Amino acid sequence: EPDWARGIRCGASSGPQPPMSVPSATKGGELFVPYRAVGLVSAGLPVAVVQHGGETFVTASLGRTFQIYNCAKLRQVFVGPSLPAGITALGAHDDYTLVACGTAVVVYKRAELVATLEGEHTAPVRHLLAMGSSVVSVDATGLLVAWQLPSGEVAGRLHPGFAASALCHPATYLNKVLLGAPDGRMQLWNLRSSKRVHEFEHGWRAAVTAFEQSPALDVVGVGLADGRLLLHNLKFDTTLLELRHTHGDAVRCLAFRTDGQPWLVSGAASGALHVWHLERRARLSLEPCAHEGGVASCHFLRGRPELLTAGAADNSLRMWSSDLHSGELSALRGRAGHAAPPTLVRFHDDELHVGGGPGGQTHLLSAGGDRTLRRSSIWSAQQDCELSQGRETKRRSMHETSVRERRLPPVLALASSQRRERDWANVVTCHAGSPVAYSWDTTTKALAPHTLAARPAAPITAVAISACGNFAFLGSAIGAIDKYNLQSGKPRAAAAAEERHEGAVRGLAAAADGRTLFSCGGGR
């Protein structure tokens, strides 16, 4: 690992903070001060990838801060300091991490603040590009500024007449930057002289959304908003190859394999990954649901058949391995959180003592609008996981193309216990409109074999688990309460008709003595 990945405590910064106004967390007598974010992996911006020897590291935005992962196992190695505004672009070069924050660009080396590049832009910075010892920033008005590192001196500025929608530095083109426009224009500019070198004759008639340098000199990949992918020779201004996504699915990002295979991967706005064979001029494979809400970045690790992707809206990073013959992508590893805001969060707790502290002080159980159930660790992101719904999603109609629609309905309530965690199911959930409660096993990280049905059939609205961890209690929309054995999944008791609530059961709580159950609901 590089020096900045050694001996750095997550969330700590040994250097000064950016000279921008940061509101104090204690002003105004606030009761709670932010400590750390749990379950955040990527805020949806394109990630920055950098190579250090044989190791590859990826930097992802978390809104007002950033974190760095080692691609070998997607292990979190560093969390950056908090910034006063949201991050709008990221870059990386050698030991430098480049962060666009509002109209400024903040430069870190390891965990130390090196420079704050400001005073040139009057609009938010949208793109960053590292070029040797320089960094290029482009703001929302189209102004492009080249800065020297680490001094922060301005090496050049220019305005091409449009707000660039994509840019790249063609290999061996000294001091040159390639700019793509929302109207399909493509221009080559010299940063030193601030002059346009060439405007390419081919007007694409669609917004340029992505550039990627190919392994061949003078050839770049161009992605367009109408779903076209082009291989263009800059030296002769000729298009060598044109491919197209189905249904005009916009291209978001491109990646070339660098281990000798003539493959190109394109990420789409729909979340699909397309694998293309350039010599055959054909698509090898398609991964239609790689990410929800679009692919923000894709990058082949240098000299390896492993692909790194980042979602634009699903809060995830994923590594894929590619089959040499078929081109099929298979999930290798990943880091993910909820793809939609959490709707229910509970400590996974009881009165046991685990890991030297009170039970429930280390893990959270959460359900979100993405219809997933996740377990998150407060201390170690490596332990975060999604509880699998594979058994139920396979039963759903194959006509459901959306991954989210194949999952269980949104969770209304959940209950958990650590008492018999290693013996049988220890989590119970009820779902919107469902007359069945589902049991889960946090040891296997998946659904348990048994489902628990309300008697008589009615939507379940509340759940609880006994203090001993042996029984689950279900409350339904008609006021009925049922007791089930979690080990066998069989019913054990039910509330008498005269003891039922007149309306839906809204809450259940089991007393520690194992003999009393408290309930609340509509009616008397």
Side-chain angles (χ1 to χ4, degrees), residues 106 109 388 406 416 516:
V106 186
K109 185 175 182 180
S388 172
R406 291 188 180 187
S416 70
T516 308

Side-chain angles (χ1 to χ4, degrees), residues 36-127:
R36 72 179 287 152
V38 177
L40 281 178
V41 177
S42 173
L45 289 177
V47 298
V49 181
V50 66
Q51 189 91 9
H52 289 281
E55 301 278 354
T56 304
F57 295 86
V58 55
T59 304
S61 164
L62 296 183
R64 292 196 176 191
T65 185
F66 62 91
Q67 58 187 1
I68 300 174
Y69 292 90
N70 187 326
C71 289
K73 292 186 177 179
L74 285 183
R75 180 175 61 87
Q76 185 188 74
V77 295
F78 178 66
V79 178
S82 180
L83 295 166
I87 295 173
T88 55
L90 287 170
H93 178 68
D94 291 337
D95 287 337
Y96 294 111
T97 300
L98 316 170
V99 183
C101 176
T103 60
V105 178
V106 186
V107 182
Y108 292 95
K109 185 175 182 180
R110 303 180 179 93
E112 181 181 356
L113 176 67
V114 174
T116 300
L117 314 178
E118 55 186 347
E120 293 290 330
H121 293 292
T122 58
V125 176
R126 297 302 184 195
H127 302 280

Side-chain angles (χ1 to χ4, degrees), residues 270-312:
S270 66
L273 288 173
H274 301 255
V275 183
W276 308 89
H277 197 289
L278 300 180
E279 291 182 353
R280 300 177 190 171
R281 298 171 176 254
R283 185 167 58 193
L284 284 176
S285 66
L286 170 66
E287 186 68 31
C289 301
H291 289 278
E292 291 186 57
V295 183
S297 298
C298 59
H299 182 88
F300 270 110
L301 271 59
R302 186 185 302 172
R304 297 165 64 181
E306 296 179 6
L307 178 71
L308 169 70
T309 62

Side-chain angles (χ1 to χ4, degrees), residues 407-430:
R407 296 174 181 151
L408 295 174
V411 175
L412 291 181
L414 68 85
S416 70
S417 173
Q418 295 174 321
R419 178 73 70 174
R420 306 303 294 266
E421 190 167 24
R422 298 186 180 276
D423 299 323
W424 48 72
N426 63 318
V427 177
V428 177
T429 57
C430 63

Side-chain angles (χ1 to χ4, degrees), residues 146-232:
W147 314 78
Q148 286 289 344
L149 294 178
S151 65
E153 297 179 359
V154 176
R157 63 175 65 82
L158 61 91
H159 199 298
F162 56 84
S165 54
L167 73 161
C168 80
H169 169 55
T172 72
Y173 283 53
L174 186 63
N175 299 323
K176 308 295 192 303
V177 61
L178 184 66
L179 302 178
D183 60 5
R185 284 180 290 167
M186 195 166 74
Q187 298 177 352
L188 187 67
W189 285 77
N190 188 311
L191 293 175
R192 291 289 184 183
S193 64
S194 299
K195 294 182 179 180
R196 187 176 67 195
V197 177
H198 182 67
E199 179 164 0
F200 296 88
E201 295 181 2
H202 295 77
W204 308 122
R205 300 180 304 278
V208 179
T209 56
F211 283 133
E212 182 67 17
Q213 173 66 51
S214 77
L217 294 180
D218 303 317
V219 179
V220 297
V222 183
L224 303 178
D226 62 1
R228 285 182 290 163
L229 301 84
L230 311 165
L231 288 188
H232 197 80

